[in-house]
């Protein structure tokens, strides 16, 4: 097999290193001249091992065990009497020793990155006695590193950002690669960085891994993201070194390097004059290639004839300028407005001021369109007053409205009746004069708020609304009366001059200077000997007694008429009656009872006695009810029937029936046919006297006899019927009778007959048929001929 130049050089290096290590280990384990080791006695023991660190090359791929080194004691004479034993990390599993020669071999492939060294202990024993001839000694086997691990970016892939327009050499991010090989031995872990993708925009420092910008004026608006591939190679980047790569995504962050610019130099919008205040008229936007805070703008109206009519604000989400109305538009007053609007960035970067001003101007023209508007009242609210004594038809005031359009259409007025349900007012349709339509009462409604409608004559759909507040002026039209319904009492032991009631008055009127009431007794009550009245001059009066003592037996109630006059102009008065009851009072003057009937009760009968008597009566009633209930439960059934009596149960059937043909459920013939025969059953409480009744022919018997016989027969059948209800039940029967001697009175057949029908026989039927005989008969007294 032919080897290349590079492979041959590597082979020579490995072979030389292996031979050097083998010779060093052999030399270090040569026999010393020390004396033999004896454990007995107090002889000083001298160490006789010749040892040092062993080195084993990692990643050995051979088939034979790898020779590590040799252990030898100066006690060993070569006659096989000494036995070598190895213990510690990896003994017997990874490292084995020839107990006769002391040669150590590695049986497995070793990886320095898994374990860099092994600590073992060696001992020389006498083969016969199995006793140590040398003290146990510890030594280390170090794994010699080879370049078998490539650099790795443990934190990759990377993302980073750098401001656009950054100067050359601006640091972006630092990448770091890790090599698992031994950094203290050779160049296996010495890494060098290079950029494989991302040139010529970025570069990387070979030793530090710092990525920097390599081109000036990189524009985010042209390209905002770059993908870099960074390589890390060991052996200082020499041929034969191992390498690893990672990706770095670099995003250019925005800076304010683009000024705002309006796409157009002028805009025009049409707006109806009826557009409400605060409505949006238009939205304009200046284009800015930047994003985020660098694209935030503010708009303002810098010039034009609409400075006070319109305003502009910014939409924070879209960065649009929103033009809204501040005042109502009027086509008749002004038909168009012109605005000069400026848009400017809020955050300006001084580094880019050389690119131009970071603001722009545009012109917005707003055309006002004419709209047919409803009539407008000269005042938003009319205030009017009228006396409640005003007569019907009194003029209260006038409202006025006009058509604001250029046509100036005539206006007609009306009252919105939803605001004047009682129709107290009228308005002249042409002049707008408001008059009273009913008598007014301030006490019912002191203020009337009505709505007046103004309608264009040419376009009735255009309706304006005006508001009128009509205040009703008060007049003295209500007499005073008691402020409340008094419950006045006087004690039987009252003394003369004792106050028994303080009264006051109210008046529904509302005089400007307030109420002033005057109290007095009526003329017929002024000289009474029982009570007197004192006016307190403060809209109150006091009722006092005039005599000593009152008796309920003589008179239990007194009626005192009181005359009250107000201070109105003209003044009004009323007479109010105060009811005074005579009562039995305690020592403190508190009424106990005011009923005169209390004297009729026996003196010795107390309330407790009455309660006891009522309790006894109630107990007796309960006992009687219990006895009656128990006796009813002990009664035996009246009917001999082996089946259970279910007459007290209610059974419901939702059957529709079969119409007139269905006679299964109920036989109507039993009620209407006199000759029906029923099967009878005996009752326990009735002894039937007649088992079979003869049924005569009823056609020849008078009607009263027919009905009497019919009912008698039904009663007899009920007596012997075990299914019939008890005696206190109500029996109902439907019976038509057997016909009338007058037969049919219908004149339907006379329609088809050519002969006159004779109704003279009606006169023979008695006074009940006199009216018919007079109407249809042919006698001399007939009403019609």
């Amino acid at each position: 097999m032919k080897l290349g130049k590079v492979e041959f050089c590597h082979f020579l290096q490995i072979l030389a290193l292996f031979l050097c290590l083998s010779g060093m280990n052999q030399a270090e384990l040569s026999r010393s001249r020390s004396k033999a080791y004896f454990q007995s006695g107090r002889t000083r023991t001298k160490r006789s091992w010749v040892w040092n660190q062993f080195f084993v090359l990692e990643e050995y791929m051979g088939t034979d065990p790898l020779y590590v080194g040799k252990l030898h004691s100066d006690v060993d004479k070569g006659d096989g009497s000494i036995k070598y034993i190895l213990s510690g990390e990896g003994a017997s599993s990874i490292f084995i020793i020839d107990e006769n020669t002391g040669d150590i071999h590695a049986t497995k492939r070793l990886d320095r990155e898994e374990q860099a060294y092994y600590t073992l202990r060696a001992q020389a024993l006498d083969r016969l006695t199995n006793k140590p001839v040398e003290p146990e000694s510890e030594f280390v086997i170090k794994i010699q590193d080879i370049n078998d691990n490539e650099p790795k970016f443990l934190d990759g892939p990377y993302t980073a950002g750098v401001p656009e327009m950054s100067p050359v050499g601006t640091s972006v991010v630092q990448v770091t690669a890790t090599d698992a090989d031994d950094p203290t031995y050779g160049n296996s872990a010495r890494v060098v960085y290079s950029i494989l993708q991302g040139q010529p925009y970025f570069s990387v420092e070979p030793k530090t891994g710092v990525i920097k910008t390599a081109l000036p004026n990189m524009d985010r608006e042209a390209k905002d993201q770059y993908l870099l591939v960074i390589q890390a190679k060991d052996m200082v980047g020499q041929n034969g070194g191992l390498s690893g790569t990672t990706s770095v995504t670099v995003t250019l962050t925005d800076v304010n390097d683009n000024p705002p610019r309006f796409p157009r130099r002028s805009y025009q919008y049409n707006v109806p004059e009826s557009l409400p205040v605060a409505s949006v008229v238009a939205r304009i936007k200046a284009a800015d290639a930047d994003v985020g805070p660098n694209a935030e703008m503010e708009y303002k109206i810098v010039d034009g004839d609409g400075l006070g009519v319109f305003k502009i604000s910014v939409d924070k989400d879209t960065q649009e300028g929103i033009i809204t109305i501040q005042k109502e538009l009027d086509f008749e007053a002004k038909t168009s407005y012109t605005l000069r609007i400026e848009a400017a960035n809020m955050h300006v970067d001084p580094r880019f001021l050389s690119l131009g001003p970071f603001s722009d101007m545009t012109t917005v023209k707003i055309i006002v369109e004419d709209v047919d508007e409803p009539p407008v009242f000269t005042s938003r609210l009319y205030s009017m007053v009228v006396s409640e004594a005003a007569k019907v038809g009194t003029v209260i005031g006038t409202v006025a409205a006009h058509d604001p359009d250029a046509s100036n259409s005539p206006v007609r007025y009306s009252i919105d009746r939803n605001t004047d349900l009682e129709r107290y007012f009228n308005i002249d349709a042409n002049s707008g004069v408001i008059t009273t339509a009913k008598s007014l009462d301030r006490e019912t409604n002191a203020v009337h708020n009505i709505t007046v409608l103004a309608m264009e004559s040419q376009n009735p759909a255009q309706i304006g609304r005006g508001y009128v507040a009509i205040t009703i002026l008060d007049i003295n039209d209500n007499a005073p009366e008691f402020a409340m319904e008094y419950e006045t009492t006087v004690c039987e032991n009252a003394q003369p001059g004792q106050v028994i009631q303080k009264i006051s008055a109210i008046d529904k009127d509302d005089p400007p200077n307030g109420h002033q009431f005057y109290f007095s007794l009526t003329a017929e009550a002024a000289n009474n000997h029982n009570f007197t009245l004192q006016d307190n001059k403060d809209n109150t009066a006091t009722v006092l007694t005039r005599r000593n003592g009152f008796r309920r037996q003589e008179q239990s109630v007194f009626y005192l008429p009181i005359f009250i006059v107000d201070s109105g102009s003209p003044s009004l008065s009323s007479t109010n009656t105060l009811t005074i009851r005579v009562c039995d009072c305690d020592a403190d003057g508190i009424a106990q009872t005011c009923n005169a009937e209390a004297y009729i009760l026996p003196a010795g009968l107390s309330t407790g006695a009455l309660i006891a008597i009522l309790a006894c009566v109630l107990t007796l009633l309960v006992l009687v009810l219990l006895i009656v209930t128990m006796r009813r439960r002990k009664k035996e059934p009246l009917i001999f029937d082996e089946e259970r009596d279910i007459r007290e149960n209610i059974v419901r059937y939702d059957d529709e029936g079969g119409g007139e043909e269905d006679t299964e459920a109920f036989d109507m013939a039993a009620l209407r046919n006199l000759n029906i025969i029923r099967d009878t059953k005996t009752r326990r409480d009735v002894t039937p006297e007649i088992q079979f009744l003869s049924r005569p022919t009823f056609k020849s018997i008078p009607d009263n006899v027919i009905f009497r016989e019919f009912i008698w027969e039904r009663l007899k059948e009920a007596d012997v019927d075990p299914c019939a209800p008890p005696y206190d039940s109500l029996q109902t029967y439907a019976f038509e009778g057997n016909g009338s001697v007058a037969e049919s009175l219908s004149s339907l057949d006379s329609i088809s007959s050519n002969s006159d029908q004779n109704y003279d026989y009606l006169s023979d039927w008695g006074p009940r048929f006199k009216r018919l005989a007079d109407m249809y008969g042919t006698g001399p007294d007939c009403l019609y001929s």
Side-chain angles (χ1 to χ4, degrees), residues 7-51:
E7 290 78 359
F8 184 71
C9 291
H10 289 172
F11 177 77
L12 291 179
Q13 290 176 358
I14 295 173
L15 181 61
L17 180 62
F18 179 79
L19 293 177
C20 179
L21 292 175
S22 299
M24 182 177 62
N25 293 341
Q26 187 67 29
E28 288 174 349
L29 294 177
S30 61
R31 185 177 56 180
S32 66
R33 299 178 180 235
S34 301
K35 292 184 179 180
Y37 167 68
F38 299 97
Q39 289 184 342
S40 60
R42 300 185 56 162
T43 306
R44 180 180 176 183
T45 305
K46 181 181 179 181
R47 180 178 177 183
S48 300
W49 285 101
V50 179
W51 68 281

Side-chain angles (χ1 to χ4, degrees), residues 193-250:
Y193 300 93
S194 61
I195 183 169
L196 301 182
Q197 179 180 324
Q199 298 163 323
Y201 306 103
F202 299 93
S203 62
V204 63
E205 288 286 342
K207 294 182 179 180
T208 61
V210 176
I211 300 174
K212 299 180 179 181
T213 59
L215 283 181
N217 302 328
M218 285 191 292
D219 191 2
R220 183 198 67 84
E221 287 72 34
K223 185 176 181 180
D224 62 346
Q225 199 171 79
Y226 297 86
L227 180 62
L228 282 62
V229 177
I230 305 299
Q231 181 189 62
K233 190 174 184 180
D234 59 13
M235 298 299 292
V236 201
Q238 297 178 1
N239 292 335
L242 303 178
S243 63
T245 61
T246 187
S247 63
V248 180
T249 302
V250 180

Side-chain angles (χ1 to χ4, degrees), residues 79-134:
D79 55 358
S81 61
I82 302 301
K83 179 173 65 173
Y84 297 95
I85 296 177
L86 190 65
S87 62
E89 292 181 316
S92 301
S93 60
I94 299 177
F95 302 102
I96 60 174
I97 187 171
D98 189 330
E99 63 178 13
N100 295 321
T101 62
D103 294 332
I104 301 175
H105 291 81
T107 61
K108 295 182 179 180
R109 181 173 64 87
L110 303 177
D111 188 358
R112 188 199 68 84
E113 286 71 38
E114 293 182 1
Q115 188 167 343
Y117 61 89
Y118 296 86
T119 301
L120 295 97
R121 294 180 298 277
Q123 196 172 25
L125 302 176
D126 185 281
R127 188 178 295 273
L128 296 177
T129 62
N130 206 28
K131 293 182 178 180
V133 296
E134 293 278 359

